[in-house]
Amino acid sequence: MTRNTNNVEVKGSGIDGAGRGLFACQDFAPGDLVVHLDRPLVAELEIHHMKDTCAWCFQRGATDPMERMQAASMGLPNGLIEIKHCTGCQRVGYCSKACQSKAWKTEHKYECRIIAPKQRPDLPLGVRAVIKLLGRLKASTGVEREQILDILNFQPTVGDGSDLEKIRRQDQPRFDDLQTLAYGAWVYADRPSFDGLGGEDVARRFHFNVMHNAFQIASPLDAAHYGSGFDPLICSANHSCDPNVVRVSNSPNTLLRALKPIKKGEEIFMKYTDTSNPFWIRQAELKENYFFTCQCPKCARCPVSPEDTFAKPPEDLPEEYCVVADKLVKEHRRELGKWLAGTDESRAQLRLAAMQAHAFAVSNDGDATEGELKEALELCIGSGMWTWTRQPVPEICRRLFSRYMASGDIDKTFRLGCKLHLEINPVLYPQPFYPERLIMADVLSTMTVALGGNPTLRHVQEEFAEKDLDFRIIYWGFLLELREYVPKMYGWESPFGKVVKDKISGAVAREVLSEAEIQDEVKGMWRDLKAYIWSLDIIDICNSSSPSESCSVM
């Protein structure tokens, strides 16, 4: 497997107490490829994706007939890929004989007989990872053995054990679960032992270190979280709330791309949590999930960063919202402490803390209804305390966008998506090649075709035509954006890049204008589209009546 390691090196971090860090061995410009892995050392599917996703390359094959038909009609891989299960265990599947062969030679042969018994429940991904790591360690030599043993050099098990003790004190049930699952993996693997190393201890350290440092493996084609990965090279990069690289998942290719200029010898930082959240949220999530307090320059500026700043002083909360906030103070009394951190406990601050607690609770609730999301949005924006780019407003908008897309409401999806893409995301993600911005551009290009060609949405088409907004030129605007920036993030050879390239090729084949003429048309159209989108009120979009018919889009 390809691993470009000449661009970077691992050595002691410049952060006190952080242990190891990743450093640049050359200068990098924004968009440059810093690290490329064909596949992380550890890559495991979530249990619910073991039946529909290739266990080696992490390409998903749609199993729902309607989804499969729609995806195939759009040229998406999940409409064409067929997952065939291992004849030995019937637990995992592969998209091709090539993937099955690679998986067997590398790792599956160590787990196949263990996960095969029908009466045995599906094992958690951490247990499966450790079983395979123990088998690989027993059989490997040279570089692979060194890479596997390098897992032992990660926190929380490296050193004097103080980090393990932190986990135990902070979350005893979680600590006990990790211990038990690690022991189970060792037993399932037939209690292996290693020269100079206790087998049970190795299993325990593998499990703690992998689960403590794991990252998500996802696909930009459907925004799905397929599983988790770990690799000693990429996981050596420490966290910063102002990172200089972004980790890119190409299922399962994993990249680090530069977000800003990086000088030779400079430490490389990526994000472990959503850095658009306020300071106290970021710190709480890092403490809960990674057991450290962030000391990055952005956190040192708290609470004057844009993420922590409200649109106006809490004392200026309108009277009608003071009544609402007073009720929320009673509802969220027990959790107001973390929202008051760094402020006084005046009535105005209590009200603002309660509003934050409520809005974030709704935005983080995966089961929140459309009504609850809209109510939280109106609380934030209607009160005048939030801007459109301060969390959790962007997250609530994203959740509503996903809900409207899933329901097939193309009109609401397109308008809200454009609001996110043209007004909100450029503030949250300043780099035009940032993954979230490219994914949204791709989704909106598909929405543009669906919106412009759906006869049941004639009233929408007429409204856009009255404003001289041509869906064909808008479509080209998204495609030109993707053509310029995909090479700086995913690359043309990625599954996402190939889908975008096919879209562009199809559009070129149908187009009668020259490229220069298209670019001129897009330039003027984009100015008009931005002006129109900026004039829209998101709450009005969400409250507008839906058309009598909708259309499903992928």
Side-chain angles (χ1 to χ4, degrees):
M1 291 186 290
T2 303
R3 306 171 64 87
N4 75 320
T5 57
N6 295 330
N7 297 343
V8 295
E9 64 177 334
V10 177
K11 58 183 182 180
S13 173
I15 301 174
D16 185 36
R20 63 199 283 160
L22 193 64
F23 290 80
C25 294
Q26 65 180 59
D27 292 349
F28 295 101
D32 280 355
L33 182 64
V34 178
V35 171
H36 172 271
L37 303 178
D38 277 351
R39 192 175 191 272
L41 181 66
V42 176
E44 290 296 332
L45 289 170
E46 294 285 359
I47 289 175
H48 61 277
H49 276 300
M50 290 172 66
K51 296 295 186 183
D52 67 1
T53 303
C54 178
W56 183 255
C57 74
F58 278 58
Q59 293 292 299
R60 187 176 75 88
T63 55
D64 177 74
M66 182 60 71
E67 180 192 0
R68 191 169 183 85
M69 181 181 69
Q70 290 178 331
S73 69
M74 298 166 62
L76 296 176
N78 58 335
L80 307 172
I81 289 172
E82 183 178 356
I83 303 299
K84 295 185 178 180
H85 296 109
C86 169
T87 56
C89 65
Q90 293 292 324
R91 297 275 185 163
V92 297
Y94 303 95
C95 67
S96 65
K97 288 187 178 297
C99 280
Q100 184 177 23
S101 176
K102 291 176 184 177
W104 181 262
K105 291 177 182 177
T106 303
E107 58 183 26
H108 184 56
K109 59 186 175 183
Y110 303 117
E111 69 165 352
C112 189
R113 64 174 178 80
I114 296 171
I115 64 176
K118 292 183 178 180
Q119 70 275 16
R120 182 166 290 164
D122 290 319
L123 300 180
L125 66 81
V127 174
R128 285 181 274 122
V130 172
I131 289 171
K132 289 187 277 192
L133 285 170
L134 292 173
R136 293 172 68 180
L137 180 60
K138 194 75 174 177
S140 64
T141 59
V143 174
E144 183 182 8
R145 181 177 178 83
E146 291 177 6
Q147 289 175 350
I148 294 172
L149 286 174
D150 197 21
I151 298 173
L152 304 179
N153 296 321
F154 279 78
Q155 295 174 333
T157 69
V158 71
D160 60 4
S162 58
D163 288 320
L164 272 178
E165 181 60 20
K166 286 180 184 177
I167 297 176
R168 189 193 65 77
R169 289 199 309 266
Q170 183 172 318
D171 194 340
Q172 183 75 52
R174 180 182 178 188
F175 180 87
D176 292 341
D177 284 346
L178 289 170
Q179 289 268 53
T180 301
L181 291 172
Y183 177 76
W186 180 62
V187 171
Y188 278 135
D190 295 332
R191 294 180 167 87
S193 60
F194 308 95
D195 293 340
L197 296 170
E200 183 180 350
D201 184 58
V202 169
R204 181 180 67 94
R205 293 174 66 186
F206 276 168
H207 194 243
F208 269 92
N209 291 1
V210 167
M211 298 307 293
H212 183 76
N213 295 279
F215 52 80
Q216 288 187 354
I217 297 178
S219 170
L221 292 173
D222 57 9
H225 170 209
Y226 293 156
S228 295
F230 171 91
D231 192 89
L233 187 64
I234 282 184
C235 291
S236 293
N238 285 304
H239 166 82
S240 173
C241 296
D242 186 19
N244 52 17
V245 300
V246 62
R247 183 182 55 78
V248 187
S249 181
N250 271 339
S251 296
N253 290 179
T254 304
L255 322 176
L256 293 182
R257 289 276 189 182
L259 291 176
K260 57 183 70 173
I262 303 173
K263 294 294 185 182
K264 180 179 179 180
E266 189 176 339
E267 186 164 1
I268 291 168
F269 296 101
M270 61 182 182
K271 68 175 185 179
Y272 293 2
T273 190
D274 186 347
T275 56
S276 68
N277 275 331
F279 171 80
W280 300 109
I281 294 289
R282 303 197 306 269
Q283 291 287 6
E285 290 178 348
L286 292 169
K287 191 74 172 176
E288 178 181 352
N289 297 316
Y290 300 97
F291 306 96
F292 72 85
T293 299
C294 184
Q295 307 166 46
C296 75
K298 182 174 180 177
C299 287
R301 294 195 299 268
C302 170
V304 297
S305 296
E307 295 82 3
D308 304 289
T309 305
F310 285 94
K312 58 186 180 182
E315 293 79 14
D316 292 346
L317 183 67
E319 184 60 34
E320 63 268 29
Y321 285 93
C322 288
V323 176
V324 175
D326 285 339
K327 294 179 181 178
L328 293 176
V329 168
K330 297 177 181 178
E331 182 179 336
H332 296 277
R333 173 70 68 178
R334 292 185 177 181
E335 55 195 285
L336 292 184
K338 73 175 182 179
W339 302 103
L340 286 168
T343 68
D344 58 57
E345 294 191 22
S346 65
R347 191 64 189 171
Q349 290 289 0
L350 281 171
R351 286 167 172 161
L352 191 55
M355 291 170 68
Q356 286 198 87
H358 181 75
F360 272 96
V362 173
S363 73
N364 292 329
D365 181 1
D367 296 323
T369 65
E370 178 186 353
E372 289 169 334
L373 291 167
K374 288 162 60 175
E375 182 183 24
L377 184 62
E378 290 176 351
L379 175 70
C380 295
I381 298 301
S383 67
M385 300 305 299
W386 272 260
T387 64
W388 287 109
T389 56
R390 190 196 191 280
Q391 294 289 11
V393 169
E395 177 61 18
I396 294 172
C397 291
R398 189 196 65 78
R399 292 279 308 281
L400 286 166
F401 171 81
S402 298
R403 182 176 290 273
Y404 296 143
M405 183 164 63
S407 70
D409 193 333
I410 306 175
D411 185 19
K412 283 186 180 180
T413 304
F414 182 76
R415 294 175 199 255
L416 186 51
C418 283
K419 197 77 171 177
L420 281 161
H421 187 64
L422 299 174
E423 186 175 346
I424 295 175
N425 286 348
V427 176
L428 300 184
Y429 316 112
Q431 299 84 3
F433 52 83
Y434 204 83
E436 277 77 359
R437 293 181 65 175
L438 294 180
I439 293 169
M440 182 61 81
D442 179 61
V443 171
L444 289 174
S445 71
T446 301
M447 289 288 164
T448 304
V449 174
L451 192 59
N454 189 338
T456 67
L457 297 173
R458 183 67 62 189
H459 64 290
V460 178
Q461 296 157 6
E462 291 173 354
E463 178 187 344
F464 273 71
E466 289 174 1
K467 300 180 184 303
D468 293 325
L469 294 172
D470 186 333
F471 285 117
R472 175 176 136 271
I473 301 302
I474 293 173
Y475 179 63
W476 265 115
F478 292 124
L479 293 188
L480 292 179
E481 182 178 343
L482 289 163
R483 187 179 71 174
E484 181 174 1
Y485 296 118
V486 164
K488 289 189 173 185
M489 190 52 60
Y490 293 100
W492 289 123
E493 295 308 310
S494 67
F496 181 70
K498 290 176 181 177
V499 168
V500 171
K501 185 187 292 186
D502 287 345
K503 277 188 178 182
I504 295 172
S505 297
V508 169
R510 296 187 298 270
E511 187 54 64
V512 295
L513 297 180
S514 68
E515 180 169 333
E517 290 172 322
I518 292 171
Q519 290 178 339
D520 285 343
E521 291 276 359
V522 167
K523 186 177 180 179
M525 188 69 63
W526 224 241
R527 181 184 60 248
D528 295 341
L529 178 64
K530 285 183 176 181
Y532 171 61
I533 294 300
W534 276 67
S535 72
L536 297 177
D537 183 280
I538 292 180
I539 295 176
D540 289 341
I541 295 173
C542 297
N543 288 333
S544 63
S545 59
S546 299
S548 58
E549 295 186 45
S550 60
C551 175
S552 296
V553 293
M554 295 296 298

